[in-house]
Structure formats: structure tokens, C-alpha cells
Amino acid sequence: DLKSEFLMDTIVTVTVVSDSEKKADDAIKRTFEEIKDLEGLFNFFSPESEISEINRKAAVAPVKLSVDTFHLLEKALDVSAKTDGAFDITVGVVVNLYDFHNKTRPSDSLTKEKLPLVNYRNVILNKKDQTVFLKKKGMVVDPGGIAKGFAADRAIEILKSEGIGAALVAVAGDIRGYGLKPDGKPWKVGIRDPRGESIDDIIATIDLRDMAISTSGDYERFFIENGRRIHHLIDPGTGYPARGIMSVTVVAPLTVYTDSLATALFVSGTEKGLKIAERLGYDTLMIDEQGKIHMTDSLREKIEFTKGNI
Ligand code: ADP
Ligand code: MG
């Protein structure tokens, strides 16, 4: 049984294996409801969301959070610490200056002016009070690099609690599966050719055995300006789109980590990124700007390349 809905600004697909259609339908329904609830909390574009409230109260007052938003921010700060700040949820103030639809980007002076507002260390979580405080006026928290992964993990928890024995959840490119397909084989996920024509143009497949996988690429949201690709993965150190890589894929037990780490390692680059991946013990594949493949040793036996030229 497979169903898709447009949620969290993207396509969410839930596939479940169950011998009872009713059980499958009920489980999927509850999963979508839960993701809708999370979207209500995390939606960057809705003034009603908790994230918007946090941003409005920057440098004004701490904001009392729901358990879910507090956890999301805790995970985000944890990933920032593990990646030397390559993942930074406060990059929103710079991301806001880009308009990929109208192909506009900020001037260098505006980027420079806003950059001091990007620093995850100025996000103060208070566990006892369950509050968050943004220290500087104008800071903007943008959960776009971690919220989809968080939601995919929640979806899997719901499906398990509903007694579903095997499932695959995909929130755009953030995918997590458990159990086996009806044919007894593990879920198989394709890795896109970052310069391919369509979403079906893949360079490799990976078997997903009770694991999560995410890919971040410079082809998701971008425009070309004077031959340069202006994309949505921002280096918090410079305030500009990160250079040197076309896509990063991370495999790990939880989507909340694969989602945020794929973004972070894209920013870190091949050398530093692979070091971080090895240290965390997460399988990682990186395609650099020349199209060259870099990967952790542990991935080699789990990946199958489908294009002969690599
Ligand atoms: P996608 O949303 O295309 O799947 P990602 O999961 O990599 O891609 O998330 C990219 C989004 O994360 C951007 O649109 C932006 O909102 C946010 N972002 C960009 N750069 C960073 C960064 N260095 N750290 C944290 N979040 C980022
Ligand atoms: Mg991501």
C-alpha cells in the first residue's frame, strides 16, 4: 500500500507492507496527521508556527516550546557541534536573501552585513524551562535542513506503533525504511545523477536495511548566473553557496541525522566531510564538482553503481 501527500513543502510518500488493507490505511492516515502537526510547528513560512514565534522574539524574550520543537533544535545544535558549525540552523537570515524563483541573490555588502547574525552558539536552549532564546536581534532560525528528516523519523515511529511490519517513508529526498519488501528483499534507494535530466536518472543504488538515507544536492533549488550555480546550501562561514560539490548522500540509522548531515557535509567539502563521516561511522557518498566520487570505505560493499562510466 502506497500513498503520497504534499506536506512540509514537498511530496511525502509512505509505503507500508501489511496483509490488512484497513490496518495499512489507518496507519498511513495517522502518519500523515502526525506530519501535518509537525508542519504546523516547524513551518518557516507560516506566522502561526513555533519557528516563526521564535524568530519574532529574537533578542526580546525566551519562547516556551513544544516537546517536538525543543527536540528539533536540540538535534540541530548537536549536529552543528559535530560538524564544526557546517550545519547551522541560524543560516536562515542569509537564506532569506535568496530568491531562487526570481533568480536574485543578495549583494556582497548585504551578505557581509547579515553574516554576524549566523551563529548557532547564539541559540540558547533551556532544558528545565523548555525554552529557546535567540541572543541577537534579527537572527532567523530556518529548520529547512533538518525538519524533513525529523518528520520521517516520526513517521516510522508511528507506523511501528501501529503494528506495521515493514515500511518505507520518503519526505522528498529524506528516506527511511525498515523490514523487508513483500518480495523478501531490502528496500532499494537510488542515488540521483546530480546533472541528470530527471529524478529517475540514477548513478547508483543502495540497499536500505533498517536505515535512513538523505541526499543534498546543488540541483534542488538553484539558478545559474554568469555560468555560476547559485544554490540553496549555504556555507555559514562565508554566507555564500558552498563550492566544490554537486551532491552528498549520507546513510545512518535516523533521518534527522542523514538530512542535516548531508547538508553539513556538502558545506564541509570532500576532505573534511569524509573525515567527519568516518568519525561518526556513517556511510557517505560525495560527488565533487568534477563528477568524481568520494566515499567512506564502509559504503563500498553496500552500493551498486548503475552507470558504467564511474
Ligand atoms: P533540500 O531541502 O533540498 O532537501 P537540504 O535538506 O540539504 O536540502 O536542506 C537545505 C535547506 O537547509 C536550505 O533550503 C536552507 O533552508 C537550509 N540550509 C542551507 N544551508 C544550511 C546550513 N549550512 N546549515 C543548516 N541549514 C542550511
Ligand atoms: Mg538535508
Side-chain angles (χ1 to χ4, degrees), residues 102-173:
N102 291 309
K103 307 188 179 187
T104 57
R105 64 175 180 87
S107 65
D108 291 341
S109 60
L110 188 57
T111 302
K112 209 169 151 188
E113 181 192 319
K114 298 289 184 188
L115 195 56
L117 295 173
V118 178
N119 190 344
Y120 71 94
R121 291 185 181 84
N122 292 329
V123 178
I124 310 303
L125 289 179
N126 182 321
K127 203 164 177 118
K128 194 172 109 287
D129 301 341
Q130 293 282 301
T131 61
V132 65
F133 181 59
L134 305 185
K135 273 168 97 171
K136 290 194 184 179
K137 188 167 179 287
M139 279 178 76
V140 177
V141 159
D142 167 13
I146 191 166
K148 295 197 286 291
F150 189 96
D153 284 336
R154 177 61 51 81
I156 294 285
E157 282 166 31
I158 301 283
L159 294 169
K160 284 186 174 170
S161 75
E162 292 284 317
I164 299 295
L168 188 75
V169 171
V171 184

Side-chain angles (χ1 to χ4, degrees), residues 10 44-45 76 80 85-92 95-96 100 118 142-149 171-174 214-217 219-221 231-237 240 242 248 258-264 266-267:
T10 192
F44 186 62
F45 305 100
S80 296
F87 186 85
D88 194 320
I89 198 159
T90 66
V91 82
V95 173
N96 269 347
F100 296 99
V118 178
D142 167 13
I146 191 166
K148 295 197 286 291
V171 184
D174 303 303
S214 296
T215 299
S216 281
Y219 50 83
E220 287 287 354
R221 274 192 284 150
H231 61 80
H232 70 315
L233 303 166
I234 304 292
D235 181 343
Y240 291 100
V248 174
T258 56
D259 184 10
S260 49
L261 280 167
T263 307
F266 191 105
V267 169

Side-chain angles (χ1 to χ4, degrees), residues 149-276:
F150 189 96
D153 284 336
R154 177 61 51 81
I156 294 285
E157 282 166 31
I158 301 283
L159 294 169
K160 284 186 174 170
S161 75
E162 292 284 317
I164 299 295
L168 188 75
V169 171
V171 184
D174 303 303
I175 303 169
R176 186 170 153 197
Y178 70 96
L180 299 170
K181 289 187 295 176
D183 64 5
K185 293 192 178 136
W187 302 100
K188 207 184 257 301
V189 175
I191 299 184
R192 269 180 79 170
D193 178 343
R195 294 293 176 267
E197 294 283 301
S198 79
I199 193 160
D200 302 318
D201 198 348
I202 60 170
I203 60 147
T205 60
I206 292 181
D207 280 348
L208 216 56
R209 296 171 191 270
D210 297 350
M211 279 288 188
I213 185 167
S214 296
T215 299
S216 281
D218 66 3
Y219 50 83
E220 287 287 354
R221 274 192 284 150
F222 73 97
F223 60 92
I224 306 284
E225 184 190 83
N226 302 325
R228 267 168 92 77
R229 185 176 286 252
I230 312 294
H231 61 80
H232 70 315
L233 303 166
I234 304 292
D235 181 343
T238 65
Y240 291 100
R243 296 290 163 202
I245 297 197
M246 296 198 285
S247 84
V248 174
T249 300
V250 178
V251 181
L254 299 176
T255 354
V256 73
Y257 288 120
T258 56
D259 184 10
S260 49
L261 280 167
T263 307
L265 302 188
F266 191 105
V267 169
S268 305
T270 51
E271 203 177 323
K272 194 169 176 196
L274 278 186
K275 266 189 205 145
I276 295 171

Side-chain angles (χ1 to χ4, degrees), residues 25-37:
D25 284 348
D26 289 350
I28 292 177
K29 192 162 162 268
R30 250 203 82 204
T31 303
F32 281 131
E33 281 166 6
E34 184 76 17
I35 295 179
K36 258 177 227 156
D37 288 348

